[in-house]
Structures are given as structure tokens and as C-alpha cells.
């Protein structure tokens, strides 16, 4: 199972209960992990989990608003202070490289690891082994992107317990059976790999959205097993705002998710106003009125598997 850990779920500013935007994705059977957005104090949040900056392989930045990016330089400096030599790649909008290089130059930040910065656009796509990431340009007050993550289909699970019960010696024979081969044991029995390996598992399809007032921009890539997207306000509160910010409401997101065939929807990037008096439930109730699948609200250090 792929593991997602929410490191920060607040919109704009941290609160007593939520830090600003960051989430970690650790693919199945991998020590390496990747980070999506890196708001202020993300490195403090990482220290409260089982994740390690040493194994951080890639960072993806949705946009350059401070609550999504101000933690980058501190995280890079700390990784360097740990004498980490593992390479790090950072992907983000145009301007990211200039911003980081300026800070590193003027603070004399010399890193012991190879840092590669890639500026992306809405046509970018990347493949890392069994995972493909497609970049989607979103609608916000500055350039903002979302990421569609598609994992390749995986072989079925090998039933090691059944293999032991059949007195099959552990070792190279297990590997051959996992690959679907047929083997002949020293006692003359022929064992088919299909007897011990389950059906192929469909690769997960996940979308992680940056700030965006039009979640249907992801519709060409639908459907999704999991959609993580901002739901900064309820519709009622948004309509009462004197100044309109380009964010998505719980209602808008739920309607879009329903139309796109999302299985599991997680509301993220929560306005600090909902941390008061237990108001966060208002977002959940609104989303449930318009979305028929599973829906949750992200909170800091929430961990899910998919």
C-alpha cells in the first residue's frame, strides 16, 4: 500500500491545531518518499513522524504562495546539516529556481548533496519507475499546479503462508513462484505460480491539487481512486466574503468529485476560521450533501494507505 501523511493542512497561516500546507507520499515497498508543498515549519512536522529527511527524494511545489513554499530553505539547510549526500530533486513553477538560488547565495548555504531544480508547466509529465506524474495547470491568483499520480498495475500478492504449508523451501523458489513460474520440487511435485499468487492489483490513481477555484480542470484525467484538494470555505461563508479569493468551497469540490467519479475525497487546506468552536464539521457536512463516495477532512499527521 502507498502511504500518505498529512504534515500541514491549514490555509494561509498556521493555527494551534494545523500547520500550513505539506503532505508526504511514500510508495509501496520504498524507503524513499516525496513531499508535496513545503510550508513554514514543515521540517518540524517531519520530525514528529517516522519520516526522515535523509530518505526524502523529491519535492513537488504546487505554487509559490508562502504557505506552500516558505519551509523549503529550512528543510534544505537541515538536510545539509545532517551531512546527507543523497540527491534531491525539486519540481515547481517558474521562479522557484531563482528564489532558492537567491536564498542559498545570500545565506551562504552550501549543500553536501546534489540539488536539481526543475521548473514545470501544465504540459509537464515525469516517470519514476512504476509511477507517472502528470502536471495540471489550475486556476488561482498566481500560477498553480496539481499533480495526477498514476501507479502501474502490480502483480498479485504472494501467499507465503500457503507456500510454507505446502512445504516449499524458502529462497529462490519463492521468487520464481512470485514471478508466476511453475516449479518442480525435489519430491516430484509440480507447483504452479498461479496457485500462490493472487490476481493482478490495479495501480492507484491519485490527484493532489494546489490552490484552485475550478476542480473540474482535473476532469480530463478522471476517474480517481483518491482526490486530495483544497476546500477552504463552505459555500455560505465564501458568498459572505467581501473580497473573493480564488479557492474552492466544499460544495464546489464535492460536486466536481461526484461528476469525475472519485472514489475517495479528502478535503484539505482548511481556513483557520473552522478551527474555532468545532466548525470544521460544517465543511464535512456540506461535502457529504453533494458527494456520494467516501469523504474525509485532512488533519495534521493523519496517515492513510491506498
Amino acid at each position: 500500500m502507498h502511504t500518505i501523511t498529512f504534515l500541514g493542512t491549514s490555509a494561509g497561516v498556521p493555527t494551534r491545531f494545523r500547520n500550513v500546507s505539506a503532505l508526504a507520499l511514500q510508495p509501496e515497498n520504498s524507503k524513499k518518499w516525496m513531499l508535496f508543498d513545503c510550508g513554514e515549519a514543515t521540517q518540524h512536522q517531519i520530525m514528529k513522524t517516522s519520516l526522515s529527511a535523509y530518505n526524502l527524494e523529491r519535492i513537488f511545489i504546487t505554487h509559490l504562495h508562502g504557505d506552500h513554499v516558505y519551509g523549503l530553505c529550512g528543510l534544505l539547510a537541515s538536510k545539509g546539516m545532517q551531512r546527507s549526500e543523497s540527491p534531491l530533486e525539486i519540481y515547481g513553477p517558474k521562479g522557484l529556481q531563482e528564489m532558492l538560488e537567491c536564498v542559498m547565495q545570500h545565506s551562504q548555504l552550501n549543500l553536501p548533496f546534489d540539488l536539481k531544480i526543475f521548473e514545470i508547466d501544465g504540459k509537464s509529465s515525469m516517470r519514476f519507475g512504476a509511477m507517472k506524474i502528470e502536471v495540471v495547470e489550475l486556476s488561482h491568483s498566481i500560477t498553480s499546479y496539481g499533480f495526477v499520480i498514476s501507479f502501474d498495475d502490480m502483480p498479485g500478492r504472494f501467499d507465503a503462508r500457503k507456500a510454507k504449508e505446502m512445504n516449499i523451501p524458502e529462497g529462490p523458489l519463492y521468487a520464481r513462484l512470485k514471478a508466476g513460474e511453475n516449479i518442480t520440487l525435489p519430491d516430484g511435485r509440480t507447483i504452479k505460480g498461479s496457485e500462490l499468487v493472487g490476481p493482478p492489483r490495479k495501480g492507484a490513481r491519485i490527484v493532489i491539487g494546489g490552490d484552485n477555484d475550478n476542480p473540474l480542470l482535473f476532469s480530463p484525467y478522471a476517474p480517481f481512486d483518491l482526490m486530495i484538494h483544497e476546500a477552504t470555505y463552505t459555500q455560505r461563508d465564501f458568498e459572505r466574503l467581501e473580497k473573493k479569493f480564488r479557492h474552492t468551497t466544499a460544495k464546489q469540490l464535492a460536486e466536481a468529485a461526484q461528476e469525475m467519479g472519485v472514489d475517495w475525497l479528502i478535503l484539505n487546506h482548511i481556513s483557520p476560521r473552522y478551527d474555532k468552536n468545532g466548525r470544521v464539521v460544517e465543511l464535512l457536512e456540506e461535502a457529504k450533501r453533494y458527494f456520494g463516495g467516501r469523504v474525509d477532512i485532512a488533519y495534521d499527521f493523519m496517515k492513510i494507505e491506498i
Side-chain angles (χ1 to χ4, degrees):
M1 304 290 280
H2 313 297
T3 302
I4 294 174
T5 304
F6 291 85
L7 299 169
T9 58
S10 181
V13 296
T15 73
R16 292 177 59 191
F17 309 102
R18 301 175 185 271
N19 199 50
V20 283
S21 294
L23 70 82
L25 170 60
Q26 187 170 22
E28 182 175 355
N29 299 324
S30 175
K31 290 184 179 179
K32 301 294 185 179
W33 60 283
M34 58 195 69
L35 180 67
F36 290 83
D37 282 337
C38 188
E40 177 187 349
T42 292
Q43 63 173 316
H44 291 262
Q45 301 291 89
I46 293 171
M47 292 169 62
K48 298 173 184 176
T49 72
S50 60
L51 298 168
S52 167
Y54 184 86
N55 291 320
L56 175 59
E57 191 171 32
R58 296 181 180 91
I59 301 174
F60 298 87
I61 300 298
T62 61
H63 63 293
L64 298 184
H65 276 157
D67 58 324
H68 294 256
V69 77
Y70 282 166
L72 258 181
C73 294
L75 178 58
L76 294 178
S78 292
K79 185 175 172 68
M81 291 290 286
Q82 294 172 5
R83 309 311 302 169
S84 172
E85 296 181 356
S86 55
L88 179 65
E89 298 175 354
I90 305 180
Y91 298 80
K94 183 178 180 181
L96 176 64
Q97 182 163 349
E98 181 182 2
M99 183 190 77
L100 290 177
E101 288 180 347
C102 179
V103 172
M104 289 191 290
Q105 176 187 347
H106 291 289
S107 64
Q108 299 184 26
L109 177 58
N110 299 308
L111 301 174
F113 54 86
D114 185 20
L115 176 65
K116 295 182 179 180
I117 302 169
F118 302 91
E119 293 190 337
I120 58 178
D121 59 33
K123 298 179 181 178
S124 300
S125 67
M126 299 79 76
R127 175 166 281 276
F128 310 107
M131 176 179 60
K132 179 181 180 182
I133 298 183
E134 297 170 278
V135 181
V136 181
E137 187 166 358
L138 303 179
S139 174
H140 192 47
S141 54
I142 63 171
T143 300
S144 183
Y145 297 113
F147 302 97
V148 175
I149 306 163
S150 303
F151 289 93
D152 293 347
D153 292 348
M154 297 171 287
R157 297 188 184 280
F158 178 70
D159 192 339
R161 180 177 178 178
K162 184 177 179 180
K164 289 180 181 179
E165 291 173 351
M166 296 172 68
N167 295 317
I168 302 173
E170 294 187 42
L173 293 180
Y174 274 29
R176 292 175 60 190
L177 288 167
K178 288 179 183 178
E181 294 184 30
N182 299 337
I183 64 170
T184 301
L185 299 178
D187 61 12
R189 287 182 296 154
T190 298
I191 308 296
K192 296 181 179 180
S194 58
E195 296 179 36
L196 294 165
V197 178
R201 294 175 288 159
K202 185 178 180 296
R205 193 164 174 82
I206 302 167
V207 58
I208 298 174
D211 287 8
N212 173 40
D213 66 3
N214 184 7
L216 283 174
L217 288 170
F218 289 106
S219 59
Y221 304 86
F224 304 110
D225 299 293
L226 171 64
M227 184 174 194
I228 301 169
H229 194 282
E230 65 139 310
T232 308
Y233 309 107
T234 63
Q235 189 67 31
R236 181 181 180 185
D237 284 339
F238 179 76
E239 291 172 356
R240 290 175 171 179
L241 292 175
E242 292 185 11
K243 181 180 179 181
K244 302 300 183 187
F245 298 94
R246 298 180 68 176
H247 288 292
T248 297
T249 67
K251 176 186 176 183
Q252 290 172 325
L253 178 58
E255 289 178 331
Q258 186 72 27
E259 182 174 334
M260 290 187 288
V262 173
D263 288 337
W264 185 4
L265 178 63
I266 298 182
L267 315 184
N268 195 24
H269 197 263
I270 308 303
S271 169
R273 71 187 65 207
Y274 300 104
D275 273 348
K276 300 175 182 178
N277 303 317
R279 290 194 61 203
V280 71
V281 71
E282 297 175 23
L283 293 164
L284 184 61
E285 290 173 347
E286 179 170 289
K288 285 183 174 180
R289 285 198 293 271
Y290 301 96
F291 179 68
R294 177 178 177 181
V295 57
D296 292 292
I297 293 184
Y299 57 85
D300 286 18
F301 306 114
M302 173 178 170
K303 182 181 288 190
I304 65 169
E305 292 185 337
I306 183 166

